[in-house]
Amino acid sequence: MLSWILALLLALIAWFLATAYFWLIKRKRKETQLGLNALAGMHWREFSLIVRRAMHEQRGLQDVPDEAVDSRQPRSDFLMHDGPQRWLLSCKHGRAYRIGTAAVNELGAAARLAGARGGILITEGKVERDGRIAAEKQNVEVLDGPLLWPLLQPYLPGDMESRVQAGARREAIRRISIAALGAATLGLMVGLGSLTAGLERQWADDESATTEPAAMTPATTAPAPADTAPTAAPAPPGAAHEGRPGPGTDAPAAAMDANPDNATLDRYQHELSRNVATRPGVASGIWLTRQTLAINRTGEIDAIWPLICEEVTRYPALRTVRIQLNPRPGVDEPVRWRQCTTL
């Protein structure tokens, strides 16, 4: 359960970060891109009008009297003033412009010839790095791409601004939705990975608990030869019972507790493993778990099984334990599991 909670938190954090990035950063970039495309799609005369209006309202620049009357010929340069100083405004209309040193130097020279203090270069395109270095030397202010859109955005005609913002919002919402699916997939993968890792650890622990004690049993029985003395001279059942040590082994089954405490149950298990080892064809009995008794045998299963069950059923608390019958030494046999009685 904890792994799924952590996976959910991870998915929510990933989705939150993606949402913040797409809405606060990518949406602004997309809006600038769509806005510049909208500006580039305007007629050159409309573009020059909103540029001059923005310069007038935000910079306080006025058209020089000789330049105030619009010519019928396309014009991209306008001479404006803020009182005693003049500025040459140059509009490079279009997104395809990549302006370098030559165009900037040309604008600077034209500004000096017109008696202007400097120039203002405006374009929806881009001024290259060398052009910006030249602009600092020529006293030319550069307003391109990302700098131009915030300046002209309030002056767009009609519903052009709302269309641009709506397009940017739709693109941001689309990307946020994709990010939500990706975050959900990430959380599901992390949750399933944690669950799988937990199951693998549990299986590994169960395997080690079963296989390690079974691997130790051959070392216990190694000193005994393949043909032990009990198989060569089987003793009568009465004699076998007489040879068993411990007073507890002679107690009747009815006198034994079916639900003993841990100490009594340990004693029962010790007695049972000791008594089983005295039976013909049984080399030893080792408890792997509370419910599993491993029998290392030298005789056939059919011959020793009634003898084993005779000892097991004498203990009501142990009559349903699982008996693991290991292969005989040197014989290619599988491990067998049986129960003397069931619930």
Side-chain angles (χ1 to χ4, degrees):
M1 184 63 182
L2 179 61
S3 62
W4 286 109
I5 294 176
L6 294 177
L8 178 60
L9 291 177
L10 177 62
L12 290 176
I13 292 173
W15 181 73
F16 176 78
L17 294 176
T19 300
Y21 174 72
F22 288 133
W23 187 259
L24 299 178
I25 299 177
K26 294 295 290 186
R27 181 178 64 87
K28 291 293 184 182
R29 293 178 182 176
K30 187 65 176 181
E31 182 178 323
T32 299
Q33 177 187 354
L34 295 177
L36 293 174
N37 291 339
L39 290 173
M42 298 175 63
H43 192 272
W44 69 269
R45 191 182 298 275
E46 296 175 349
F47 178 73
S48 63
L49 284 176
I50 66 171
V51 167
R52 291 158 69 186
R53 181 183 172 188
M55 290 293 103
H56 172 66
E57 295 184 3
Q58 297 192 28
R59 301 288 184 92
L61 298 180
Q62 303 285 343
D63 289 319
V64 173
D66 293 341
E67 298 288 333
V69 180
D70 291 335
S71 172
R72 290 183 178 274
Q73 299 295 327
R75 299 168 56 214
S76 60
D77 296 343
F78 304 91
L79 195 61
M80 306 185 76
H81 71 92
D82 58 358
Q85 297 178 342
R86 291 186 174 189
W87 301 88
L88 182 60
L89 184 66
S90 179
C91 298
K92 304 296 184 183
H93 184 42
R95 295 217 62 187
Y97 279 103
R98 295 295 181 267
I99 300 173
T101 304
V104 174
N105 290 337
E106 182 181 351
L107 176 58
R112 288 191 294 270
L113 289 175
R117 180 180 178 181
I120 302 176
L121 178 60
I122 295 179
T123 180
E124 301 102 322
K126 181 180 179 181
V127 178
E128 303 290 352
R129 185 171 180 274
D130 57 342
R132 293 182 182 276
I133 296 175
E136 294 178 0
K137 298 178 181 179
Q138 297 290 341
N139 196 25
V140 173
E141 181 182 1
V142 174
L143 296 175
D144 64 344
L147 297 177
L148 180 62
W149 169 244
L151 178 69
L152 302 183
Q153 181 181 1
Y155 307 100
L156 292 180
D159 60 345
M160 185 180 295
E161 180 182 1
S162 61
R163 289 200 305 269
V164 168
Q165 292 177 345
R169 282 196 300 269
R170 285 195 301 270
E171 180 66 18
I173 292 173
R174 184 183 69 84
R175 293 183 176 183
I176 289 173
S177 301
I178 296 175
L181 293 176
T185 303
L186 175 63
L188 182 61
M189 293 176 62
V190 172
L192 291 176
S194 301
L195 180 61
T196 303
L199 290 176
E200 288 179 352
R201 286 195 297 269
Q202 182 178 356
W203 292 339
D205 293 341
D206 292 344
E207 270 187 30
S208 62
T210 303
T211 58
E212 287 179 5
M216 294 171 58
T217 55
T220 306
T221 60
D227 295 327
T228 58
T231 57
H241 281 282
E242 291 175 0
R244 295 187 217 121
T249 58
D250 295 329
M256 294 187 181
D257 190 358
N259 296 297
D261 55 22
N262 290 335
T264 304
L265 185 61
D266 289 340
R267 181 168 61 84
Y268 287 170
Q269 288 183 327
H270 178 70
E271 291 176 359
L272 177 59
S273 62
R274 183 181 59 188
N275 294 340
V276 165
T278 63
R279 290 295 185 149
V282 178
S284 63
I286 299 174
W287 287 96
L288 302 182
T289 65
R290 281 289 193 189
Q291 294 298 322
T292 304
L293 175 62
I295 299 297
N296 297 310
R297 60 190 178 87
T298 57
E300 294 285 347
I301 292 180
D302 294 339
I304 67 172
W305 181 245
L307 304 178
I308 294 173
C309 287
E310 180 182 344
E311 295 293 342
V312 170
T313 53
R314 295 179 66 252
Y315 298 86
L318 303 175
R319 64 175 61 240
T320 60
V321 296
R322 187 173 65 168
I323 308 299
Q324 176 180 314
L325 299 166
N326 293 329
R328 290 174 294 178
V331 180
D332 185 12
E333 295 175 328
V335 178
R336 302 291 187 183
W337 287 272
R338 291 187 179 182
Q339 276 184 295
C340 293
T341 60
T342 57
L343 293 178

